[in-house]
Structures are given as C-alpha cells and as structure tokens.
Amino acid sequence: MALSIVQSSDGRRQRSERSQTAIIKAALSLMDEGTLVPTAQQIADRAGVGIRSFFRHFADMDSLFLAADEMLLSSYEALFEVDNRAGTLSERVSRAIDLYGNAFEKLRPIILCTQSQLWRSPKLRENYGWHQKRLRKELELWLPEVAELPKDRREALHAVASFSMWNRLREFQGLSIKTSADIVTSLVNDLIVSS
C-alpha cells in the first residue's frame, strides 16, 4: 500500500513537471513566432492545458517569464562560450562581435519580450540587469583593452556592442547580419584604437 502511494505521488509530480515544461516551451514557441507578450490563454492553448492548470503552475505571468529565463540560462551561456580569445585586437573584436551577433539573433524574441515587461516587474529588471553585467564582463574578457579606456569611451563601446544597437541595425535599418557585424566591429575598433 505504501509503495503504491509513493508511486502515485511520483506520477503526479512527473505529470506536473511535464505540464510546467510544456507551458514554458509553449510560451517560448509563441515568442519565437512573433507574439512577444503572449497571454496566459494563448500559452495554455498552445501547451494543451486548461487555463486553471496554467495558473496552478504559475501564479502570474512574471513567474512564467522568470521560469523561462531560468530554463534557458544554460543555453544563453553556451552561446558565449569559447575556448580561445587569442589574436590581434582586430581579430578579437571581429570574433567577439560575430559571437554577440549570433547570440542576439537567437535570443531576440526573449530579449524583446523581457524588455517589454521591465516596467512592471522588479524581478525581471533585476534579472535583465544581471544579464547586462554578464555581457559587459564577457566582452571585456575578449577585449581587456576596454578596461583602460576613459569611462565615456568604455560606456560608448558597451552601447555600440549592445542588443539595442544590433536590433536597430537589423530590425529598423534593415541591414544584413554581415553588414551589421561590420558596422559594430568598425565602431568598436575605432573606440579602442583612437583613445
């Protein structure tokens, strides 16, 4: 009897975890398709669960977005992992910007969704700020020369290498990935070399 209760409990837990994962994946799928801020009903429909089930797993949309961020954290980090940061300044800048551009292309929907929710969620703002600090540190691992720049140049360089700049070039100016990378690479090089 005790064994069947444990098995039943384990089965419920596994079903609950599967439902929770399905909900997160449904939200990410909708974002990838262009619905940057999907509703709970849209997500529940896509996941194949009822709206009550959705809110049993996630008290509100913030908790869903935070769970999605947590689920994706290791894949975010993998986008920036490299074994070798050696080379001339020009080579390192070019490789770093290519790496950032590739990551920004893949993460665009989740970044835009997060940005659109920052005004109402202190926890999302905190997580977003943490990610921004990580991006800055990562870039300075590629380009230790940045630490030697005057503060205004250092801040300009981080602005140039940011998602906001990348998204402007790609989305609003309609430039290709290569042209966008060339522009950012040139600006970063100029900010470092002309200091």
Side-chain angles (χ1 to χ4, degrees), residues 31-166:
M31 288 178 224
D32 281 339
E33 293 167 14
T35 307
L36 294 180
V37 187
T39 65
Q41 188 63 61
Q42 288 172 310
I43 296 166
D45 291 345
R46 175 65 63 93
V49 301
I51 194 73
R52 287 174 60 199
S53 179
F54 176 97
F55 284 111
R56 264 197 310 274
H57 293 291
F58 300 101
D60 52 31
M61 295 303 285
D62 279 0
S63 59
L64 168 66
F65 293 134
L66 291 169
D69 185 54
E70 189 174 311
M71 178 187 271
L72 292 175
L73 185 58
S74 61
S75 61
Y76 295 161
E77 291 172 345
L79 292 172
F80 293 94
E81 282 178 6
V82 289
D83 293 329
N84 182 5
R85 291 189 177 89
T88 66
L89 174 63
S90 178
E91 290 168 342
R92 286 181 287 121
V93 169
S94 180
R95 287 179 30 231
I97 298 309
D98 284 346
L99 186 78
Y100 271 52
N102 178 55
F104 291 155
E105 288 292 313
K106 287 188 168 95
L107 298 174
R108 182 180 175 276
I110 192 80
I111 294 171
L112 291 174
C113 173
T114 302
Q115 287 179 337
S116 71
Q117 304 293 317
L118 293 178
W119 64 274
R120 64 180 191 76
S121 172
K123 186 61 179 163
L124 283 177
R125 276 195 303 278
E126 179 185 321
N127 277 16
Y128 189 76
W130 181 82
H131 286 298
Q132 297 311 300
K133 286 178 185 168
R134 297 255 342 246
L135 285 174
R136 288 174 68 106
K137 285 180 183 172
E138 181 66 32
L139 188 60
E140 292 184 16
L141 288 174
W142 276 98
L143 309 170
E145 296 87 347
V146 172
E148 304 303 316
L149 295 175
K151 186 176 185 337
D152 60 341
R153 264 184 196 277
R154 192 169 59 247
E155 294 305 321
L157 187 142
H158 283 295
V160 164
S162 70
F163 172 78
S164 297
M165 177 67 149
W166 185 263

